[in-house]
Amino acid sequence: MAAVADLIRVLIADDDALVRAGVSLILGADPGIEVVGEAVDGAEAVEAARRLRPDVVLMDIRMPRMDGLAATEALRAGAPGEPGPAIIVLTTFNTDEYVLRALRAGANGFLLKDVPPTDFLRAVRGAAGGESMLSPAVTTRLIDHVVRTDQDDERRRRADRARGSLAALSDRERDVARAIGEGKSNAEIGGELFMSVATVKTYVSRILGKLDCGNRVQVAILVHEAGE
């Protein structure tokens, strides 16, 4: 994953040519960002991401042939040991159940397509720097939306699985995981739990490993599903 000081390579995947052109224009105005390719569906996005190795993929959730969810899953199931690109899901709905499924699959966050240009730039830079582009309020709203449509048995299974996963953490690790679920930065977690930022980073890495999560968003989802 690129350091924020480096040129950030971006792939745009959307079946709407106007959206691709608009996003490309926005990103092209930033001298630190380079649009290295475009894709019109998920299958093209997977092929292009593997060939071009971008730092960030902006992935439309609803595309023909292969949608953004399947493309996210395919990229996250890539070659073991190879860090894949950060993936930001693009959608027109902030309660789209496919968005939550993409986040569970390893997307780093999502953006509504009608956000201001500055939000696109901030999201790309943040994702390239390892941040999760998702507020805790949005996480909760997404989960609540999907939970309402889940059958009772499925809801209980998800909660039980999440609690079982979190049970592998130490008390201190659970404190850090809860703070991640609240959307706190490493600096904020350190201040709240009286740790150095370096120590928080160590805990976050340990939590990601124990929970088999690819990023902080997946940790936040587990915390919310467990009712922590």
Side-chain angles (χ1 to χ4, degrees), residues 101-215:
R101 289 171 61 191
L103 296 172
R104 284 178 175 140
N108 297 67
F110 83 95
L111 280 175
L112 298 178
K113 292 183 182 181
D114 60 356
V115 298
T118 52
D119 285 2
F120 269 99
L121 297 174
R122 188 181 304 115
V124 166
R125 288 193 162 275
E131 297 177 16
S132 297
M133 310 313 300
L134 192 67
S135 73
V138 171
T139 307
T140 302
R141 187 163 65 248
L142 278 169
I143 291 172
D144 286 347
H145 169 73
V146 175
V147 162
R148 283 197 302 271
T149 63
D150 277 345
Q151 298 295 323
D152 288 344
D153 287 348
E154 177 61 22
R155 194 179 312 153
R156 283 192 292 269
R157 277 195 294 271
R158 287 195 183 281
D160 288 344
R161 280 197 297 266
R163 293 185 190 110
S165 296
L166 295 178
L169 303 181
S170 68
D171 289 343
R172 197 60 164 166
E173 288 166 349
R174 283 182 88 120
D175 290 338
V176 174
R178 290 190 191 99
I180 291 172
E182 292 168 2
K184 290 184 168 63
S185 67
N186 286 346
E188 290 170 332
I189 295 171
E192 181 179 286
L193 299 179
F194 305 102
M195 298 177 177
S196 69
V197 171
T199 301
V200 174
K201 287 181 179 178
T202 299
Y203 269 97
V204 171
S205 295
R206 196 181 302 160
I207 289 165
L208 291 173
K210 283 189 174 184
L211 298 180
D212 193 25
C213 289
N215 56 53

Side-chain angles (χ1 to χ4, degrees), residues 13 27 38 51 53 68 186-187:
L27 299 182
E38 298 182 5
R51 173 170 47 85
R53 297 183 177 276
N186 286 346

Side-chain angles (χ1 to χ4, degrees), residues 13-27:
D14 197 296
D15 64 329
D16 189 327
L18 288 178
V19 171
R20 294 197 308 275
V23 173
S24 183
L25 189 64
I26 291 169
L27 299 182

